[in-house]
Amino acid sequence: MPKQGYHHGNLKQALVDAALRLIEAKGPSGFTLSEAAKQAGVTPAAVYRHFAGRDDLIAEAARQGYVIFADVMQEAYDRGQPSARASVEATGRAYLAFARQYPGHYIAMFESGLSVNRTPELSLVARHARAVIEQAAEDLSRHIPPERRPPAAMFSAHIWAMSHGVVELFARNSPGTVAPFAPEELLETGIGIYLRGLGLGAPDS
């Protein structure tokens, strides 16, 4: 690929796109800024116009991922309405779909080891994404008997952890691991068992 120096239509986004391809192929720690520059068709020196180092580049990929993730979660939540339970289940399925459709972003967000508080912009969009899942949990928690009702934040954390666990163990990089059932089925039944344990044995609406 010929070098283009700094004369690039959208160098910053080209570098992010290159990083996403490299993240998918080599993992978040398996490439250099020089490799990202080569993929984007610019000189290594041009990278520093936008990013101080590889972690800054990955953080921007993660930020963009959280923007997409928040939209995906919101769409799933809306699709489940007016049923609070359907919204919770839809956000869980959307989590799996996001990991499959946007693997580079997913890895940058959840497997790079970077804190969501690395930049204010990253922190803001990450909170927005979490807020959608927390809203779904809060809606459904109103249907749980008070004596069995966990705090909404704990409830949403349980659902998030279950979704994340299914993705990591059975829908992504687990060499030699064969899922006993489809990831969607594992998640759906897991959420169902969890909700029944909280006293939600039937749909809320």
Side-chain angles (χ1 to χ4, degrees):
M1 185 178 294
K3 299 294 183 186
Q4 301 178 35
Y6 188 61
H7 301 290
H8 196 290
N10 188 347
L11 173 60
K12 183 175 182 179
Q13 189 57 49
L15 288 166
V16 172
D17 292 342
L20 288 168
R21 292 191 294 271
L22 289 164
I23 288 169
E24 288 185 45
K26 300 184 175 185
S29 60
F31 72 97
T32 65
L33 277 180
S34 293
E35 287 179 280
K38 183 178 181 180
Q39 284 251 349
V42 299
T43 62
V47 179
Y48 294 97
R49 301 274 185 151
H50 293 288
F51 302 104
R54 185 182 60 193
D55 284 353
D56 286 344
L57 177 54
I58 296 173
E60 174 58 19
R63 186 197 68 79
Q64 293 184 16
Y66 271 110
V67 171
I68 300 169
F69 184 58
D71 288 344
V72 167
M73 290 293 106
Q74 187 65 58
E75 182 181 348
Y77 173 87
D78 293 341
R79 191 165 57 247
Q81 291 296 298
S83 167
R85 178 167 181 155
S87 286
V88 166
E89 292 171 342
T91 57
R93 290 191 297 271
Y95 195 106
L96 269 64
F98 173 83
R100 284 200 179 103
Q101 189 172 353
Y102 301 97
H105 290 98
Y106 178 91
I107 296 168
M109 292 157 61
F110 299 119
E111 298 179 2
S112 67
L114 295 181
S115 170
V116 292
N117 297 315
R118 182 177 180 85
T119 68
E121 296 80 11
L122 176 57
S123 177
L124 180 64
V125 294
R127 287 201 307 271
H128 179 52
R130 288 197 303 270
V132 179
I133 300 176
E134 289 170 0
Q135 183 62 59
E138 184 173 351
D139 292 347
L140 188 53
S141 70
R142 300 189 185 104
H143 299 274
I144 299 173
E147 68 276 10
R148 296 189 178 184
R149 184 184 301 162
M154 180 183 289
F155 187 1
S156 66
H158 288 160
I159 299 297
W160 187 314
M162 198 180 307
S163 303
H164 190 77
V166 170
V167 168
E168 289 294 321
L169 290 174
F170 301 114
R172 274 196 39 73
N173 300 322
S174 298
T177 299
V178 178
F181 303 97
E184 290 80 5
E185 186 178 352
L186 286 171
L187 182 59
E188 182 178 351
T189 54
I191 290 176
I193 292 168
Y194 173 73
L195 296 182
R196 285 196 296 275
L198 292 173
L200 287 170
D204 56 279
S205 63

